[in-house]
Amino acid sequence: MDAIRVRGGAVLKGRVRVSGAKNAALPILCATLLSDGESHLRNVPALRDIDTTAALLRFLGRGVSVNAPDVTVAAGKDVRPEAPYELVKQMRASVLVLGPLLARFGRAKVSLPGGCAIGARPIDQHLKALEAMGAKITLERGYVLAEGPNGGGQLRGAEIVFDMPTVTGTENVMMAAALAKGRSILVNCAREPEVEELGRILNKMGAKVNGAGTDVMHIEGVTPGDLLPFDHAIIPDRIEAGTYMVAAAMTEGSDVILEGAEIGDLEALVAKMRQAGVIIDAEGRDIRVRRTGPIRPVNVTTAPHPGFPTDMQAQFMVLMCTAAGESVITETIFENRFMHVPELLRMGANIALRGNTAVVDGVKKMYGASVMATDLRASASLIIAGLFSEDETEVRRVYHLDRGYEHIEAKLGGLGAKVERVRNAES
Ligand code: EPU
């Protein structure tokens, strides 16, 4: 597997373009199942997760052409409403075909995603909601078998109260409700910008979704023929933008402009970074990030949007490793999302873990080491740590990074970081 080598100490300067949002593109690709005809997506990032989704849609019977940043999805003659384990195990977001398949074709067979490195990640909320809409759900040999009412009929609108805001759960149910008979009310919805973006797409297709991006949604179901293919450019990736913001803050004197970023989607992170002493300015559709002095310690607790994103926790922790003092970082979304901590300790960080809390005492120096992580954002945090460390850091198994960061070594390299990809390195 490939590795990425980082030599620390470079001051980052220049401009970097933010790619389209992975977590917006994935549900939107799945939403193409709701209509016939040919949909066009633009500003799609070149990522492994996009290729996996394309493979899944092809398996289901769609014609997909990926030529990043453009993706075309065309309806085929037949559909095979089944997401096999081989694809779902590569990417949990494959579960996003469950809602559209069931709503459109009256049945679906989708592999249960199982646990993953960051936690158990059940899908009970997705299933409970679909059951409330009249679906019959059975679990058999690791698969969810779902059938519309009366042997494959149209779902019924329902009032659903999510036990917790779930991003893909809300998205799955939105897509199901778009084609259900009558009105659905979704309460305690996830409010992430990617959920709002899906609402925008569904309405572009002809659905009647109200309130996407807030915690209560009203969806008036329409009939399948009412939903049309679409042409849409995906919103910028706020987590990729946030990752480069933190990277820019790692060395004194850095001055980086993120092109095409949406500062409104990053409020919690921006507020915490400013508290830490980083200078952040919105300049039109760009964000300028500068570090002119030391980093102050800041406490952070992850929360559903608009709170501090769990997907930025690992990267922010690395920034806190360089702060002048002690900070407390609490992870409330996933039970096992501190996998970067043992690796950061090997690089000389000073972090004490107590349950879901990490107490980080800043250090003056960190040291390069061979490290690896089994999740996307943790891997990104190790690269960022490498930017601050003395000598060379080798981040192994970048398989995970390639799922979510487009051309990360080229983008960081363009800012002056000393970063290179090593093909087929030791893993
Ligand atoms: N949860 C349940 N039951 C459910 C669904 C969720 O208990 O049926 C729990 C989860 O275990 C977790 C919490 O609810 O404790 C929130 O999980 P959520 O369902 O919101 O996560 P997700 O939809 O599986 C998406 C992103 C993740 C991101 C989380 C949280 C996509 C494709 N994935 O996952 O992104 O961390 O929301 O914001 O949108 C990443 O990009 O690296 C990534 C992991």
Side-chain angles (χ1 to χ4, degrees), residues 186-346:
L186 278 47
V187 178
N188 199 21
C189 296
R191 290 179 284 168
E192 270 67 3
E194 296 77 20
V195 173
E196 191 177 348
E197 171 85 335
L198 177 63
R200 217 172 282 132
I201 284 294
L202 291 172
N203 286 340
K204 227 176 191 180
M205 294 175 80
K208 295 183 177 154
V209 178
N210 258 302
T214 73
D215 56 353
V216 179
M217 268 187 246
H218 293 253
I219 302 178
E220 197 69 55
V222 298
T223 50
D226 292 340
L227 293 189
L228 303 173
F230 57 88
D231 183 324
H232 187 77
I234 307 285
I235 52 169
D237 195 313
R238 66 194 164 99
I239 304 298
E240 191 205 27
T243 302
Y244 286 107
M245 282 169 67
V246 174
M250 290 305 289
T251 42
E252 211 168 313
S254 291
D255 184 351
V256 168
I257 292 181
L258 300 167
E259 291 178 356
E262 189 54 73
I263 200 163
D265 291 344
L266 283 158
E267 275 172 356
L269 174 69
V270 167
K272 290 291 177 182
M273 288 189 62
R274 282 183 176 148
Q275 267 179 47
V278 182
I279 304 162
I280 300 177
D281 297 300
E283 298 182 350
R285 298 256 359 237
D286 297 341
I287 301 177
R288 184 170 182 194
V289 185
R290 278 173 292 166
R291 170 161 168 199
T292 53
I295 295 293
R296 292 190 287 268
V298 174
N299 298 343
V300 151
T301 299
T302 62
H305 193 78
F308 190 93
T310 173
D311 287 345
M312 283 304 304
Q313 177 258 109
Q315 302 90 313
F316 195 81
M317 186 185 294
V318 173
L319 183 62
M320 289 301 104
C321 286
T322 73
E326 189 177 278
S327 58
V328 178
I329 298 186
T330 307
E331 170 60 53
T332 70
I333 307 294
F334 293 114
E335 63 273 24
N336 189 29
R337 213 172 194 186
F338 281 144
M339 277 163 307
H340 39 290
V341 171
E343 303 298 300
L344 292 173
L345 293 178
R346 295 182 54 236

Side-chain angles (χ1 to χ4, degrees), residues 22-23 26-27 92-93 96 118 120-127 164-169 171 190 192 194 238-239 310-311 332-335 337 375-377:
K22 164 179 88 77
N23 289 348
L26 300 179
R92 295 181 50 84
L96 283 167
I118 60 178
R121 303 182 74 179
I123 57 162
D124 57 299
Q125 300 297 308
H126 307 223
L127 302 184
M164 76 285 288
T166 152
V167 174
T168 50
E171 291 165 347
E192 270 67 3
E194 296 77 20
R238 66 194 164 99
I239 304 298
T310 173
D311 287 345
T332 70
I333 307 294
F334 293 114
E335 63 273 24
R337 213 172 194 186
D375 122 72
L376 169 59
R377 310 301 171 188

Side-chain angles (χ1 to χ4, degrees), residues 134-194:
K136 188 174 146 218
I137 309 265
T138 42
L139 301 182
E140 208 177 284
R141 295 168 159 260
Y143 277 81
V144 177
L145 305 182
E147 194 180 74
N150 309 317
Q154 193 181 10
L155 295 172
R156 296 186 295 267
E159 179 163 350
I160 314 253
V161 182
F162 292 107
D163 291 346
M164 76 285 288
T166 152
V167 174
T168 50
T170 304
E171 291 165 347
N172 238 335
V173 178
M174 286 166 78
M175 292 188 276
L179 285 183
K181 191 171 166 45
R183 167 176 274 235
S184 295
I185 302 177
L186 278 47
V187 178
N188 199 21
C189 296
R191 290 179 284 168
E192 270 67 3
E194 296 77 20

